[in-house]
Amino acid sequence: TTSVIFEKDLTLHNDLGTGSYGVVKRGEWKTESGKIIPVAVKVLKADVFAPGVYDDFQREVEAMHSLKHLNLIKLHGVVGKPLMMVCELAPMGALLDYLRAQNGRISLNFISKWSEQVAAGMAHLEKNRFLHRDLACRNILMSTLDLVKIGDFGLMRALPAADDCYVMSERRRVPFPWCAPESLRSRQFSHAADVWMFAVALWEMYSFGEEPWIGLNGSEILRLIMRENQRLTAPSACPPDVYMLMMQCWDLNPKERPTFAGILKYMETNK
Ligand SMILES: Nc1nccn2c1c(-c1ccc(Oc3ccccc3)cc1)nc2[C@H]1C[C@H](O)C1
C-alpha cells in the first residue's frame, strides 16, 4: 500500500509548473525511517473532488502506487486537503519543455532512447491492464537526459474534470489532438487508444515539441482522420521506419494497431 504521509513530514518549496489537475511543487519528504528525500508534490485543485469522487480516487491511488517501473514516475502517497500527490521528482522537468527549449538541436539517438523507454513504461501498464488515457510529451518527465518517466497515468480515470485543453465529454475530458478517433467519437478508452496517443507523443518528439493538428478543433480533426483518412505528416527529422510505426499505431481499426509489447520488441530489435 502507499506510504502513510503526514503533512508535518512534508516541506514544500518552489513551483515546478502546472501539470494536469493542479500545480506541482518541489519538496522534501521525511520518510518513516527518517530519511529526507526530494519529491514532486502535485496539489490537486479542490474542485476536482465532487462528493463521492474521493473514495474511488483512493482506490486509483493504490493501483497507481502498485505500478512500479523504471519508466513510471513513482507515487509515494497522498496527503492533506487539498489533496497532494507526493511523487518521485524528475529534476529536468517535462520532456515537452526540453524539446522546445533545444530548438531542434537534439540528437536522434536521445529521441529513439526516450521512445523506447516510454514504450517500456507503457508495456508495463499494458501488462498490468492499466490505461493511461492521457499520454503526451507534457506528461513525460526527465530524470536525466538518458532517463524519462511517464507521469499522470490513470489520473484521467481517477479524476473527472481537467483543464481547458481537453474536450468535455461525459464528465471525462480528453486532449483531442492526442486522442484516438474511437475515444473522440464514443469515449472508448483502451490499450489500443493509448497506442494511438503514444504515436502522437512520438510525433511530438521528432517535431521537437510542435503542437499536433495545431489550430484545428476536435470535430475538424475527427473529419480529417475519419473521412479524409488524413494523418499527422512525417516530421522532417523522423526516420521512415519510425513513421511507418506511427502509421500502424494510427490505424482506424483499434484491433489493427500494435500492442505496446509488440512496439517494445520492434524497437529493441531495430535499435
Ligand atoms: N514528478 C515531477 N518531477 C518534476 C517535475 N514535474 C513532475 C510532475 C508530476 C507529474 C505527475 C504527478 O502525479 C502523478 C504521477 C504518477 C501517476 C499519477 C500522477 C506528479 C508530479 N510535474 C512536473 C512539472 C512538469 C509540469 O510542467 C509540472
Side-chain angles (χ1 to χ4, degrees):
T1 54
T2 57
S3 318
V4 177
I5 297 180
F6 299 101
E7 284 202 70
K8 67 172 175 51
D9 298 330
L10 212 45
T11 315
L12 297 186
H13 300 303
N14 56 300
D15 284 12
L16 291 172
T18 45
S20 30
Y21 303 101
V23 74
V24 179
K25 294 174 180 288
R26 192 173 58 80
E28 271 132 15
W29 169 43
K30 189 167 83 171
T31 65
E32 286 146 62
S33 64
K35 244 184 340 145
I36 302 209
I37 61 171
V39 289
V41 180
K42 177 165 275 199
V43 185
L44 294 177
K45 274 185 272 185
D47 67 349
V48 294
F49 287 109
V53 170
Y54 190 83
D55 310 350
D56 25 359
F57 180 71
Q58 285 296 358
R59 256 192 304 284
E60 282 303 314
V61 163
E62 282 309 324
M64 292 174 205
H65 178 79
S66 65
L67 295 160
K68 292 185 174 58
H69 186 274
L70 176 67
N71 302 115
L72 297 179
I73 289 285
K74 186 173 184 327
L75 175 62
H76 295 303
V78 296
V79 65
K81 276 210 179 310
L83 202 115
M84 297 185 279
M85 301 182 81
V86 181
C87 300
E88 169 183 4
L89 176 71
M92 289 180 65
L95 177 60
L96 181 61
D97 298 336
Y98 183 83
L99 288 166
R100 289 177 172 170
Q102 293 310 305
N103 269 320
R105 284 187 309 278
I106 299 177
S107 146
L108 293 190
N109 296 336
F110 277 123
I111 299 184
S112 132
K113 182 184 286 194
W114 300 332
S115 309
E116 191 177 328
Q117 289 175 359
V118 173
M122 289 306 295
H124 185 74
L125 291 186
E126 182 182 69
K127 198 164 67 198
N128 290 280
R129 302 163 60 81
F130 196 93
L131 303 183
H132 190 300
R133 286 190 170 81
D134 190 11
L135 182 58
C137 279
R138 63 180 172 275
N139 291 332
I140 298 170
L141 287 317
M142 298 177 84
S143 295
T144 68
L145 252 182
D146 293 294
L147 180 57
V148 295
K149 303 190 178 217
I150 301 164
D152 275 358
F153 41 93
L155 217 46
M156 292 288 282
R157 193 173 114 80
L159 297 170
D163 29 2
D164 52 3
C165 78
Y166 300 77
V167 283
M168 192 59 202
S169 65
E170 175 223 87
R171 279 164 35 82
R172 185 168 300 133
R173 299 150 74 87
V174 287
F176 40 80
W178 282 261
C179 244
E182 71 273 10
S183 310
L184 270 180
R185 290 175 71 220
S186 34
R187 298 145 192 171
Q188 279 158 6
F189 286 88
S190 63
H191 296 301
D194 276 349
V195 164
W196 178 292
M197 300 184 95
F198 169 77
V200 180
L202 286 196
W203 182 90
E204 289 183 275
M205 290 188 213
Y206 283 98
S207 317
F208 306 112
E210 255 184 64
E211 260 189 72
W213 303 112
I214 188 156
L216 300 184
N217 67 37
S219 55
E220 288 160 342
I221 296 170
L222 202 52
R223 185 175 49 76
L224 287 178
I225 290 171
M226 304 288 298
R227 278 238 223 103
E228 328 219 342
N229 206 19
Q230 260 198 40
R231 294 295 180 272
L232 290 166
T233 50
S236 46
C238 184
D241 57 321
V242 174
Y243 190 62
M244 269 168 45
L245 172 65
M246 288 180 194
M247 290 302 276
Q248 287 174 5
C249 297
W250 292 331
D251 196 302
L252 266 194
N253 179 352
K255 294 185 177 53
E256 290 300 312
R257 297 171 203 157
T259 62
F260 282 113
I263 291 169
L264 184 59
K265 194 155 180 52
Y266 171 76
M267 287 182 158
E268 285 170 341
T269 43
N270 285 271
K271 269 205 237 234

